[in-house]
Amino acid sequence: EACLVSMLSYVESRAKDSGSMTLQTMEENASLKSFLQGKQSWIFLSDLLPMIDSRLKDICPGRLTRHGEEDNGASHYIEKTTRSTEYKQLEKLQTKQRGSDTSYIKAHRQNGKPCFELTTLGYNTAIWIRRRTFPSSQGHYRTSNLVQVEKRFQGIYLAVDNREGGGPKKKLHSMLNKLDTLKIPYFVCTLNIGDYSFFTANKLLPVLIERKSIQD
């Protein structure tokens, strides 16, 4: 969500700089799609990363920007050997969505550097996100709502598979409520191995938990 809203803000600024017309006007005369597809509306990954981070809450355990690197970590993330749960969220936005022939964003290269295009689907979704009112219903992906992390848990957070407890329609959220009560920092994602795993910074710790029933 932070990525889509950041890209929306960027293309709005590009439209304003061009001095031609607003995005709303482009919507009305069906020229929005061509404007979004134009290279002038693409944003470099090195610029996008800090924009995303600026929209994350302080309690969010992960950040994308790699301070001290000239491109904010862009070259690090596009390496095939890189494994990052945070950047994986951006990769999901690049896959075609169910019931649609397009994705939220498209990856390109400009002057040899990675950049992204906001599609019309991504644009409309970003508009909806920005207009959304809260509280909203709990979805598949959820994080701990801690304002401050206890000293014994600092630097470590728990990853919970989104299918645990039968998924969000069964016992997942009731189990997460217990983690909230215990003040354990966590986030929900799709784990390829185990039901629970632990992370420190962006590194997976060698501790995996797989719950089994008597039937298993």
Side-chain angles (χ1 to χ4, degrees), residues 144-191:
S144 49
N145 57 359
L146 298 174
V147 176
Q148 186 174 2
V149 178
E150 292 183 10
K151 187 176 181 179
R152 58 178 175 157
F153 294 140
Q154 288 181 0
I156 298 176
Y157 47 99
L158 175 67
V160 183
D161 187 77
N162 64 354
R163 295 156 294 189
E164 175 63 354
K169 292 184 179 180
K170 294 187 178 180
K171 297 181 179 180
L172 174 63
H173 286 304
S174 63
M175 298 173 73
L176 298 178
N177 290 340
K178 294 179 180 178
L179 294 178
D180 285 331
T181 301
L182 295 171
K183 298 184 178 181
I184 296 175
Y186 68 86
F187 69 97
V188 179
C189 63
T190 302
L191 293 175

Side-chain angles (χ1 to χ4, degrees), residues 96-114:
K96 289 185 178 180
Q97 300 303 302
R98 184 180 301 176
S100 174
D101 61 350
T102 188
S103 56
Y104 293 111
I105 64 176
K106 290 182 179 180
H108 299 283
R109 277 191 173 272
Q110 194 171 1
N111 300 325
K113 299 178 180 180

Side-chain angles (χ1 to χ4, degrees), residues 52-127:
I52 294 174
D53 284 351
S54 68
R55 286 176 164 79
L56 299 178
K57 292 184 178 180
D58 292 337
I59 61 174
C60 183
R63 289 293 185 275
L64 284 161
T65 306
R66 293 170 65 89
H67 299 285
E69 296 187 16
E70 187 176 353
D71 61 356
N72 291 322
S75 56
H76 166 76
Y77 289 117
I78 62 173
E79 285 288 336
K80 292 182 178 180
T81 56
T82 299
R83 297 290 182 270
S84 168
T85 55
E86 289 81 13
Y87 190 72
K88 196 72 177 176
Q89 304 305 312
L90 270 71
E91 293 180 345
K92 289 179 181 178
L93 295 175
Q94 299 172 51
T95 59
K96 289 185 178 180
Q97 300 303 302
R98 184 180 301 176
S100 174
D101 61 350
T102 188
S103 56
Y104 293 111
I105 64 176
K106 290 182 179 180
H108 299 283
R109 277 191 173 272
Q110 194 171 1
N111 300 325
K113 299 178 180 180
C115 55
F116 291 99
E117 166 198 337
L118 184 68
T119 66
T120 51
L121 175 63
Y123 169 84
N124 291 326
T125 304
I127 291 290

Side-chain angles (χ1 to χ4, degrees), residues 21-45:
M21 61 183 77
T22 65
L23 293 179
Q24 185 175 0
T25 304
M26 293 181 193
E27 282 187 81
E28 294 171 353
N29 63 20
S31 61
L32 175 63
K33 185 175 182 180
S34 60
F35 178 78
L36 294 176
Q37 291 176 336
K39 291 183 179 181
Q40 78 282 352
S41 300
W42 300 353
I43 181 172
F44 286 106
L45 179 59

